[in-house]
Amino acid sequence: MQSQIHNLKGEILDYSFHEADPKTHNLVIIGHGVTGNKDRPWALALAEALAEAGHHALRFSFSGNGASEGSFKDSTISKEVTDLAAVISAAEDAGHSRITYTGHSMGGAVGVLAAARDSRIQRLISLAGMVYTAKFANTEFSDVTPGEGNMWEDENCPLSTAFVDDMKAIDSVLPYASRITIPWLLVHGSTDDVVPIEESRNIFDHANEPKKLVELPGVDHVFSDGGLQPMIKSVIAWLADEGAA
């Protein structure tokens, strides 16, 4: 993975590649949540642990986020699905034939939509994955006027009409669960106050086998305060089990 990755609009997506055994074809692509980027502590720690466990890992920032090109105002779940497709294409061109996608929060919603339509994704991992997109937008930003205010008062993250409209148009990724037939791991902290754990429980009930839900007691949305290592261990153990299967 040495070349630049461009999305459909020609924007360069910033990424970091963590190389494991050159003989393996396993690659875990890591996508972040809303207002995040590839350098979030959980993403970096997970990527390093994956490489040590023998899996190539690629963490990237969706367009308009982090050091990736594009405007944050254009960042939507629908656009991020196409960003992920571009990353997968680049990975395939580099010789990676077994792709696992790991998405956190809104990146989890991206993963559900992508895995429901893109057969190149062979395993799916949702970390505190968002399910009810319209509800999220209404709950978190009901007091902000799109096009005028910011997400969580962050001037670097303006709340755009495009974002809100896309969240409402999708409404929920729950209906897509039945279309996913690949192995699926869901990991969620019980004290997540951004995306409630009930969302993972609900979509898990609609998912096909093989599936697994890991609930981490006392763990928050970003797996801090002791939640990081349990999350990482859950992911690596599940990948080992799926690999053996």
Side-chain angles (χ1 to χ4, degrees):
M1 296 295 299
Q2 297 180 349
S3 61
Q4 292 182 337
I5 301 177
H6 296 81
N7 65 9
L8 286 177
K9 289 193 172 183
E11 297 160 342
I12 298 174
L13 301 179
D14 182 40
Y15 73 92
S16 294
F17 182 72
H18 299 255
E19 186 173 9
D21 184 344
K23 296 180 181 179
T24 183
H25 296 290
N26 294 337
L27 173 66
V28 181
I29 298 173
I30 301 172
H32 60 82
V34 62
T35 74
N37 58 64
K38 71 178 182 63
D39 296 321
R40 287 290 194 254
W42 67 265
L44 175 59
L46 177 59
E48 291 177 339
L50 286 166
E52 185 175 347
H55 305 274
H56 299 301
L58 186 156
R59 52 191 172 89
F60 77 102
S61 295
F62 290 107
S63 55
N65 293 264
S68 288
E69 293 184 346
S71 171
F72 184 82
K73 294 180 180 179
D74 297 329
S75 297
T76 66
I77 289 178
S78 295
K79 186 184 181 190
E80 292 183 356
V81 170
T82 66
D83 285 349
L84 175 56
V87 174
I88 294 173
S89 294
E92 284 193 323
D93 290 343
H96 301 287
S97 57
R98 193 175 191 197
I99 305 294
T100 300
Y101 174 68
T102 301
H104 174 252
S105 192
M106 194 170 89
V110 170
V112 172
L113 295 178
R117 67 186 69 166
D118 193 336
S119 61
R120 299 176 300 172
I121 300 175
Q122 298 182 28
R123 292 181 292 193
L124 178 64
I125 301 174
S126 300
L127 304 177
M130 183 188 300
V131 175
Y132 303 108
T133 58
K135 179 182 177 182
F136 176 85
N138 290 332
T139 300
E140 297 295 330
F141 310 123
S142 61
D143 59 343
V144 182
T145 301
E148 297 181 12
N150 304 308
M151 296 182 181
W152 299 303
E153 300 182 355
D154 186 343
E155 294 183 355
N156 295 315
C157 302
L159 181 67
S160 68
T161 300
F163 174 86
V164 174
D165 287 350
D166 190 66
M167 296 289 269
K168 291 181 178 179
I170 294 170
D171 185 48
S172 168
V173 299
L174 191 66
Y176 294 87
S178 61
R179 305 182 195 178
I180 297 174
T181 57
I182 57 175
W184 188 359
L185 171 68
L186 301 93
V187 183
H188 215 127
S190 67
T191 58
D192 189 336
D193 61 356
V194 179
V195 177
I197 193 171
E198 286 74 21
E199 299 201 16
S200 281
R201 291 170 179 166
N202 290 348
I203 201 166
F204 178 80
D205 288 341
H206 289 77
N208 297 304
E209 297 288 352
K211 60 182 178 179
K212 183 176 183 179
L213 172 60
V214 176
E215 299 188 9
L216 302 178
V219 173
D220 63 12
H221 187 60
V222 293
F223 305 102
S224 60
D225 297 329
L228 185 58
Q229 290 307 313
M231 178 272 283
I232 290 173
K233 289 180 180 178
S234 297
V235 169
I236 290 177
W238 181 79
L239 288 172
D241 289 343
E242 286 302 323

